[in-house]
Amino acid sequence: MTKEELYSMKTEAPDRDVEVLAKQRWDSLVKPIDGLGAFEEMICRIAGIQGKTSPTLSRKGLIIMCADNGVVEEGVTQTGQSVTYDVAEMMGERRSSVGRMTMHYPLDIFPYDVGINTKDTPKGVINRKIRQGTANLLKGPAMTEQECLAAIGVGLEAVRDCHSKGYDIIATGEMGIGNTTSSAALLSALTGEKPERFTGRGSGLPDAGLERKKQVIRDAVRLHRGAKAGTPVKTAEETLQVLTALGGLDIAALVGVFLGGAVCRIPIVIDGLISAVSAYTAELFLPGCRDYMIASHSGKEKGTERILTELSLTPVLQADMALGEGTGAVLLFPMLDMALSLYLDGTTFQDTDIAKYERFGK
Protein backbone atom coordinates (compact mmCIF):
# COMPACT_ATOMS: atom_id res chain seq x y z
CA MET A 1 0.00 0.00 0.00
CA THR A 2 1.15 3.55 -0.75
CA LYS A 3 0.35 6.76 1.11
CA GLU A 4 -1.67 7.94 -1.84
CA GLU A 5 -3.80 4.78 -1.77
CA LEU A 6 -4.33 5.10 1.97
CA TYR A 7 -5.33 8.76 1.86
CA SER A 8 -7.65 8.29 -1.11
CA MET A 9 -9.66 5.41 0.35
CA LYS A 10 -13.42 5.93 0.34
CA THR A 11 -16.39 4.19 1.90
CA GLU A 12 -20.14 4.47 1.61
CA ALA A 13 -22.49 4.51 4.57
CA PRO A 14 -24.45 1.32 5.30
CA ASP A 15 -27.98 1.18 3.86
CA ARG A 16 -30.00 3.26 6.33
CA ASP A 17 -33.30 2.31 4.68
CA VAL A 18 -32.54 -1.35 5.36
CA GLU A 19 -31.73 -0.49 8.98
CA VAL A 20 -35.15 1.14 9.35
CA LEU A 21 -36.87 -1.91 7.87
CA ALA A 22 -34.90 -4.15 10.21
CA LYS A 23 -36.07 -2.12 13.20
CA GLN A 24 -39.64 -2.48 11.96
CA ARG A 25 -39.11 -6.23 11.77
CA TRP A 26 -37.98 -6.25 15.41
CA ASP A 27 -41.06 -4.25 16.41
CA SER A 28 -43.34 -6.76 14.66
CA LEU A 29 -42.19 -9.60 16.93
CA VAL A 30 -44.07 -10.69 20.03
CA LYS A 31 -41.85 -9.03 22.64
CA PRO A 32 -41.52 -5.66 24.34
CA ILE A 33 -40.19 -2.79 22.22
CA ASP A 34 -36.36 -2.92 22.20
CA GLY A 35 -36.58 -6.00 24.42
CA LEU A 36 -33.18 -7.30 23.27
CA GLY A 37 -31.61 -3.89 23.73
CA ALA A 38 -28.20 -3.47 22.10
CA PHE A 39 -28.53 -6.77 20.26
CA GLU A 40 -31.45 -5.41 18.25
CA GLU A 41 -29.34 -2.44 17.23
CA MET A 42 -26.43 -4.73 16.27
CA ILE A 43 -28.63 -6.87 14.01
CA CYS A 44 -30.05 -3.72 12.40
CA ARG A 45 -26.54 -2.42 11.79
CA ILE A 46 -25.43 -5.73 10.29
CA ALA A 47 -28.49 -5.69 8.04
CA GLY A 48 -27.57 -2.18 6.86
CA ILE A 49 -23.94 -3.19 6.29
CA GLN A 50 -24.95 -6.23 4.25
CA GLY A 51 -27.71 -4.28 2.51
CA LYS A 52 -30.42 -6.86 3.13
CA THR A 53 -33.23 -7.17 5.66
CA SER A 54 -32.41 -10.85 6.21
CA PRO A 55 -28.71 -10.70 7.13
CA THR A 56 -26.57 -13.80 7.36
CA LEU A 57 -23.91 -14.76 9.90
CA SER A 58 -23.20 -18.27 8.63
CA ARG A 59 -19.50 -17.85 7.89
CA LYS A 60 -17.47 -16.29 10.67
CA GLY A 61 -13.76 -15.58 10.70
CA LEU A 62 -11.18 -14.43 13.23
CA ILE A 63 -8.11 -12.59 11.96
CA ILE A 64 -5.25 -12.51 14.47
CA MET A 65 -2.19 -10.34 13.83
CA CYS A 66 1.02 -11.46 15.58
CA ALA A 67 4.14 -9.32 16.00
CA ASP A 68 6.80 -8.42 18.52
CA ASN A 69 7.41 -4.98 20.00
CA GLY A 70 10.95 -3.68 20.54
CA VAL A 71 9.91 -1.67 23.59
CA VAL A 72 9.99 -4.94 25.57
CA GLU A 73 13.68 -4.28 26.22
CA GLU A 74 12.62 -1.42 28.52
CA GLY A 75 11.24 -3.85 31.10
CA VAL A 76 7.57 -3.06 30.52
CA THR A 77 6.35 -6.67 30.43
CA GLN A 78 6.30 -9.66 32.74
CA THR A 79 7.44 -12.11 30.05
CA GLY A 80 9.96 -12.08 27.23
CA GLN A 81 9.39 -11.86 23.49
CA SER A 82 9.70 -15.61 22.97
CA VAL A 83 6.14 -15.97 24.27
CA THR A 84 4.81 -14.29 21.11
CA TYR A 85 6.22 -17.09 18.95
CA ASP A 86 5.14 -19.79 21.40
CA VAL A 87 1.51 -18.62 21.49
CA ALA A 88 1.44 -18.06 17.73
CA GLU A 89 2.64 -21.64 17.31
CA MET A 90 -0.26 -22.79 19.49
CA MET A 91 -2.61 -20.70 17.37
CA GLY A 92 -1.42 -22.48 14.25
CA GLU A 93 -2.36 -25.77 15.92
CA ARG A 94 -5.60 -24.31 17.37
CA ARG A 95 -4.28 -25.00 20.88
CA SER A 96 -4.21 -21.41 22.15
CA SER A 97 -6.96 -19.97 24.33
CA VAL A 98 -9.18 -18.79 21.50
CA GLY A 99 -8.65 -22.04 19.60
CA ARG A 100 -9.78 -24.17 22.52
CA MET A 101 -12.69 -21.84 23.33
CA THR A 102 -14.07 -22.22 19.79
CA MET A 103 -13.09 -25.85 19.18
CA HIS A 104 -16.73 -26.90 18.78
CA TYR A 105 -17.98 -23.63 17.28
CA PRO A 106 -18.16 -22.87 13.53
CA LEU A 107 -15.36 -20.32 13.35
CA ASP A 108 -12.35 -20.17 11.03
CA ILE A 109 -9.19 -18.72 12.55
CA PHE A 110 -6.55 -16.95 10.47
CA PRO A 111 -3.38 -16.16 12.46
CA TYR A 112 -0.90 -13.93 10.62
CA ASP A 113 2.80 -13.41 11.29
CA VAL A 114 3.46 -9.77 10.39
CA GLY A 115 6.44 -9.28 12.66
CA ILE A 116 7.33 -12.08 15.07
CA ASN A 117 10.95 -11.68 16.12
CA THR A 118 12.19 -14.91 14.53
CA LYS A 119 13.41 -15.87 11.08
CA ASP A 120 10.75 -18.53 10.63
CA THR A 121 6.96 -18.52 10.97
CA PRO A 122 5.17 -21.18 13.04
CA LYS A 123 3.37 -23.92 11.14
CA GLY A 124 -0.28 -23.09 10.51
CA VAL A 125 0.37 -19.34 10.73
CA ILE A 126 0.13 -17.25 7.55
CA ASN A 127 3.54 -15.76 6.76
CA ARG A 128 3.32 -12.06 5.94
CA LYS A 129 6.37 -11.10 8.01
CA ILE A 130 7.46 -7.53 7.31
CA ARG A 131 10.37 -7.46 9.74
CA GLN A 132 11.45 -9.32 12.86
CA GLY A 133 9.73 -7.17 15.43
CA THR A 134 9.60 -3.41 15.67
CA ALA A 135 12.39 -1.21 16.95
CA ASN A 136 12.34 0.19 20.48
CA LEU A 137 9.96 3.18 20.28
CA LEU A 138 11.76 4.85 23.19
CA LYS A 139 14.93 5.12 21.08
CA GLY A 140 13.44 5.93 17.67
CA PRO A 141 10.48 5.17 15.38
CA ALA A 142 9.05 1.68 15.85
CA MET A 143 8.85 1.21 12.07
CA THR A 144 9.68 2.91 8.85
CA GLU A 145 6.80 4.48 7.00
CA GLN A 146 7.10 1.84 4.27
CA GLU A 147 6.87 -0.96 6.85
CA CYS A 148 3.84 0.61 8.47
CA LEU A 149 2.06 0.94 5.12
CA ALA A 150 2.97 -2.65 4.27
CA ALA A 151 1.38 -3.85 7.52
CA ILE A 152 -1.80 -1.89 6.80
CA GLY A 153 -1.85 -3.51 3.39
CA VAL A 154 -1.63 -7.00 4.91
CA GLY A 155 -4.73 -6.34 7.01
CA LEU A 156 -6.65 -4.94 4.08
CA GLU A 157 -5.81 -7.92 1.89
CA ALA A 158 -6.76 -10.34 4.68
CA VAL A 159 -10.29 -8.92 4.69
CA ARG A 160 -10.50 -8.88 0.92
CA ASP A 161 -9.55 -12.55 0.93
CA CYS A 162 -12.29 -13.34 3.46
CA HIS A 163 -14.77 -11.30 1.44
CA SER A 164 -13.97 -13.25 -1.72
CA LYS A 165 -14.66 -16.48 0.18
CA GLY A 166 -18.05 -15.36 1.44
CA TYR A 167 -17.41 -14.55 5.10
CA ASP A 168 -20.24 -12.61 6.74
CA ILE A 169 -18.48 -11.21 9.80
CA ILE A 170 -14.90 -11.00 11.09
CA ALA A 171 -13.54 -10.74 14.62
CA THR A 172 -10.15 -9.21 15.35
CA GLY A 173 -7.38 -10.49 17.59
CA GLU A 174 -3.67 -10.01 18.23
CA MET A 175 -0.66 -11.53 19.90
CA GLY A 176 2.46 -9.55 20.70
CA ILE A 177 4.29 -9.20 23.98
CA GLY A 178 4.60 -5.48 24.73
CA ASN A 179 1.69 -4.34 22.58
CA THR A 180 -0.27 -2.78 25.44
CA THR A 181 2.64 -0.38 25.83
CA SER A 182 2.63 0.45 22.12
CA SER A 183 -1.17 0.83 22.15
CA ALA A 184 -1.24 3.15 25.15
CA ALA A 185 1.55 5.29 23.68
CA LEU A 186 -0.22 5.46 20.32
CA LEU A 187 -3.56 6.36 21.89
CA SER A 188 -2.02 9.06 24.05
CA ALA A 189 -0.32 10.61 21.02
CA LEU A 190 -3.45 10.41 18.85
CA THR A 191 -5.76 11.96 21.43
CA GLY A 192 -3.33 14.34 23.11
CA GLU A 193 -4.35 12.96 26.51
CA LYS A 194 -1.97 11.96 29.30
CA PRO A 195 -0.55 8.43 29.02
CA GLU A 196 -1.58 7.59 32.59
CA ARG A 197 -5.19 7.52 31.48
CA PHE A 198 -4.51 4.60 29.15
CA THR A 199 -1.70 2.67 30.81
CA GLY A 200 -2.60 -0.59 32.53
CA ARG A 201 -0.73 -3.61 33.85
CA GLY A 202 -0.87 -5.58 30.60
CA SER A 203 -0.39 -9.30 31.26
CA GLY A 204 0.47 -8.48 34.87
CA LEU A 205 2.96 -5.97 36.20
CA PRO A 206 3.85 -5.15 39.82
CA ASP A 207 3.53 -1.55 40.97
CA ALA A 208 7.14 -0.74 40.14
CA GLY A 209 6.75 -2.23 36.67
CA LEU A 210 3.58 -0.23 36.06
CA GLU A 211 5.33 3.01 37.01
CA ARG A 212 8.22 2.12 34.70
CA LYS A 213 5.74 1.47 31.89
CA LYS A 214 4.06 4.85 32.41
CA GLN A 215 7.41 6.63 32.34
CA VAL A 216 8.48 4.86 29.15
CA ILE A 217 5.24 5.89 27.45
CA ARG A 218 5.53 9.50 28.63
CA ASP A 219 9.10 9.74 27.35
CA ALA A 220 8.24 8.06 24.04
CA VAL A 221 5.33 10.40 23.35
CA ARG A 222 7.50 13.43 24.11
CA LEU A 223 10.26 12.06 21.88
CA HIS A 224 8.04 11.59 18.86
CA ARG A 225 5.49 14.38 19.32
CA GLY A 226 7.78 17.10 20.65
CA ALA A 227 5.91 20.39 20.94
CA LYS A 228 2.73 18.67 19.73
CA ALA A 229 2.61 16.37 22.77
CA GLY A 230 -0.69 17.00 24.52
CA THR A 231 -2.52 17.95 21.32
CA PRO A 232 -4.61 15.53 19.21
CA VAL A 233 -3.67 14.64 15.65
CA LYS A 234 -5.59 16.52 13.00
CA THR A 235 -4.73 14.95 9.65
CA ALA A 236 -4.26 11.57 8.03
CA GLU A 237 -0.61 12.47 7.41
CA GLU A 238 -0.07 13.15 11.09
CA THR A 239 -1.89 9.93 11.99
CA LEU A 240 0.48 7.93 9.80
CA GLN A 241 3.50 9.61 11.37
CA VAL A 242 2.31 8.73 14.87
CA LEU A 243 1.36 5.16 13.95
CA THR A 244 4.79 4.65 12.37
CA ALA A 245 6.63 6.04 15.38
CA LEU A 246 4.64 4.53 18.25
CA GLY A 247 2.58 1.67 16.88
CA GLY A 248 3.34 -1.95 16.22
CA LEU A 249 3.15 -4.12 13.13
CA ASP A 250 0.22 -5.99 14.69
CA ILE A 251 -1.59 -2.71 15.37
CA ALA A 252 -0.96 -1.37 11.87
CA ALA A 253 -2.16 -4.63 10.32
CA LEU A 254 -5.37 -4.46 12.37
CA VAL A 255 -5.85 -0.89 11.14
CA GLY A 256 -5.91 -2.43 7.67
CA VAL A 257 -8.49 -5.00 8.80
CA PHE A 258 -10.87 -2.27 9.96
CA LEU A 259 -10.31 -0.31 6.77
CA GLY A 260 -11.04 -3.50 4.85
CA GLY A 261 -14.36 -3.89 6.62
CA ALA A 262 -15.48 -0.49 5.39
CA VAL A 263 -14.24 -1.12 1.86
CA CYS A 264 -15.68 -4.65 1.54
CA ARG A 265 -18.85 -3.95 3.58
CA ILE A 266 -18.17 -6.59 6.22
CA PRO A 267 -18.84 -6.01 9.94
CA ILE A 268 -15.61 -6.16 11.95
CA VAL A 269 -15.78 -6.95 15.68
CA ILE A 270 -13.48 -5.04 18.04
CA ASP A 271 -11.81 -7.06 20.79
CA GLY A 272 -9.83 -5.30 23.57
CA LEU A 273 -7.44 -2.34 23.83
CA ILE A 274 -5.07 -3.18 20.98
CA SER A 275 -7.94 -3.90 18.62
CA ALA A 276 -9.81 -0.78 19.76
CA VAL A 277 -6.78 1.48 19.25
CA SER A 278 -6.46 0.04 15.74
CA ALA A 279 -10.15 0.72 15.09
CA TYR A 280 -9.79 4.31 16.30
CA THR A 281 -6.75 4.83 14.07
CA ALA A 282 -8.64 3.44 11.07
CA GLU A 283 -11.45 5.94 11.70
CA LEU A 284 -8.90 8.78 11.66
CA PHE A 285 -7.67 7.60 8.27
CA LEU A 286 -11.13 6.94 6.86
CA PRO A 287 -13.98 8.82 8.59
CA GLY A 288 -17.11 6.71 8.53
CA CYS A 289 -15.12 3.50 8.90
CA ARG A 290 -16.70 3.06 12.36
CA ASP A 291 -20.07 2.35 10.74
CA TYR A 292 -18.67 -1.09 9.96
CA MET A 293 -17.37 -1.79 13.47
CA ILE A 294 -19.08 -3.69 16.28
CA ALA A 295 -17.95 -3.51 19.91
CA SER A 296 -17.79 -6.72 21.94
CA HIS A 297 -16.50 -6.03 25.47
CA SER A 298 -15.26 -3.15 27.59
CA GLY A 299 -12.03 -4.89 28.66
CA LYS A 300 -9.80 -4.51 31.70
CA GLU A 301 -7.12 -2.38 30.04
CA LYS A 302 -7.51 1.36 30.43
CA GLY A 303 -8.49 3.23 27.31
CA THR A 304 -10.87 0.72 25.73
CA GLU A 305 -14.06 2.36 26.96
CA ARG A 306 -12.67 5.80 26.06
CA ILE A 307 -12.16 4.66 22.47
CA LEU A 308 -15.55 2.98 22.16
CA THR A 309 -17.24 6.14 23.43
CA GLU A 310 -15.34 8.18 20.85
CA LEU A 311 -16.49 5.75 18.15
CA SER A 312 -20.10 5.85 19.45
CA LEU A 313 -20.06 2.08 19.97
CA THR A 314 -21.51 0.23 22.96
CA PRO A 315 -19.94 -3.01 24.25
CA VAL A 316 -22.38 -5.63 25.50
CA LEU A 317 -19.93 -7.66 27.60
CA GLN A 318 -18.69 -6.30 30.92
CA ALA A 319 -16.40 -9.15 31.92
CA ASP A 320 -13.13 -7.43 32.90
CA MET A 321 -11.28 -9.37 30.20
CA ALA A 322 -7.65 -8.88 29.15
CA LEU A 323 -6.75 -12.15 27.42
CA GLY A 324 -6.29 -10.98 23.84
CA GLU A 325 -6.26 -13.32 20.82
CA GLY A 326 -9.77 -12.07 19.93
CA THR A 327 -11.33 -14.02 22.81
CA GLY A 328 -13.71 -11.23 23.78
CA ALA A 329 -14.73 -10.63 20.18
CA VAL A 330 -15.64 -14.26 19.50
CA LEU A 331 -17.66 -14.50 22.72
CA LEU A 332 -20.07 -12.12 21.02
CA PHE A 333 -20.74 -14.50 18.13
CA PRO A 334 -23.04 -17.04 19.85
CA MET A 335 -25.12 -14.21 21.28
CA LEU A 336 -25.46 -12.65 17.84
CA ASP A 337 -26.52 -16.06 16.50
CA MET A 338 -29.32 -16.28 19.06
CA ALA A 339 -30.45 -12.70 18.45
CA LEU A 340 -30.49 -13.31 14.70
CA SER A 341 -32.53 -16.50 15.16
CA LEU A 342 -35.24 -14.52 16.94
CA TYR A 343 -35.06 -11.74 14.36
CA LEU A 344 -35.47 -14.11 11.41
CA ASP A 345 -37.86 -16.69 12.86
CA GLY A 346 -39.60 -15.02 15.79
CA THR A 347 -43.37 -15.12 16.15
CA THR A 348 -45.04 -11.90 14.98
CA PHE A 349 -48.01 -10.13 16.50
CA GLN A 350 -49.82 -10.80 13.25
CA ASP A 351 -49.66 -14.53 14.00
CA THR A 352 -51.23 -14.16 17.46
CA ASP A 353 -54.14 -12.47 19.22
CA ILE A 354 -51.75 -10.30 21.24
CA ALA A 355 -52.03 -6.57 20.63
CA LYS A 356 -48.90 -5.06 19.15
CA TYR A 357 -46.76 -2.80 21.31
CA GLU A 358 -46.55 0.79 20.12
CA ARG A 359 -43.21 2.57 19.85
CA PHE A 360 -42.94 5.88 21.67
CA GLY A 361 -39.75 7.87 21.39
CA LYS A 362 -36.83 6.62 19.34
Side-chain angles (χ1 to χ4, degrees), residues 182-193 198 273 277 280 303 307:
S182 303
S183 296
L186 176 59
L187 184 56
S188 175
L190 291 174
T191 62
E193 297 182 30
F198 309 126
L273 176 67
V277 170
Y280 180 67
I307 297 169

Side-chain angles (χ1 to χ4, degrees), residues 39-287:
F39 290 101
E40 292 192 22
E41 180 186 0
M42 284 185 180
I43 296 300
C44 289
R45 293 187 64 226
I46 292 170
I49 290 171
Q50 295 184 355
K52 53 188 181 182
T53 54
S54 296
T56 55
L57 293 175
S58 300
R59 297 203 70 184
K60 303 177 184 70
L62 167 62
I63 294 175
I64 307 173
M65 295 299 178
C66 306
D68 277 303
N69 297 261
V71 72
V72 165
E73 69 185 36
E74 297 299 329
V76 294
T77 62
Q78 184 179 135
T79 60
Q81 280 193 346
S82 62
V83 175
T84 301
Y85 183 94
D86 293 340
V87 175
E89 186 174 42
M90 293 170 66
M91 287 176 179
E93 300 169 349
R94 201 150 183 166
R95 292 193 301 114
S96 71
S97 296
V98 75
R100 291 307 192 194
M101 284 171 59
T102 59
M103 184 181 300
H104 304 294
Y105 187 76
L107 172 75
D108 295 322
I109 301 177
F110 304 101
Y112 281 76
D113 172 8
V114 287
I116 300 175
N117 192 20
T118 55
K119 291 183 179 180
D120 65 316
T121 293
K123 183 179 180 181
V125 176
I126 301 167
N127 184 3
R128 295 292 185 273
K129 194 190 300 283
I130 294 165
R131 62 179 282 176
Q132 292 177 214
T134 57
N136 185 345
L137 55 79
L138 188 58
K139 296 179 179 178
M143 301 168 274
T144 67
E145 186 177 271
Q146 184 177 5
E147 289 165 346
C148 185
L149 289 167
I152 294 172
V154 170
L156 182 60
E157 287 306 314
V159 175
R160 283 175 171 159
D161 185 57
C162 285
H163 179 254
S164 70
K165 294 175 181 175
Y167 283 85
D168 301 304
I169 191 168
I170 295 170
T172 53
E174 42 62 41
M175 179 60 216
I177 300 300
N179 61 10
T180 60
T181 299
S182 303
S183 296
L186 176 59
L187 184 56
S188 175
L190 291 174
T191 62
E193 297 182 30
K194 293 182 178 180
E196 290 83 353
R197 183 171 183 182
F198 309 126
T199 307
R201 295 180 186 272
S203 58
L205 284 174
D207 290 345
L210 178 60
E211 291 307 310
R212 171 59 181 163
K213 183 176 180 180
K214 290 177 181 178
Q215 187 61 53
V216 166
I217 294 173
R218 282 193 294 267
D219 291 346
V221 172
R222 280 197 294 265
L223 172 67
H224 296 291
R225 290 291 284 161
K228 292 183 178 180
T231 61
V233 300
K234 294 181 172 60
T235 65
E237 290 87 349
E238 200 174 3
T239 300
L240 180 59
Q241 292 169 2
V242 171
L243 177 59
T244 297
L246 293 166
L249 290 161
D250 48 355
I251 297 171
L254 286 177
V255 170
V257 171
F258 286 106
L259 292 172
V263 171
C264 298
R265 300 182 69 91
I266 296 178
I268 309 292
V269 182
I270 300 171
D271 187 36
L273 176 67
I274 294 90
S275 174
V277 170
S278 302
Y280 180 67
T281 307
E283 173 66 19
L284 293 176
F285 281 129
L286 181 60

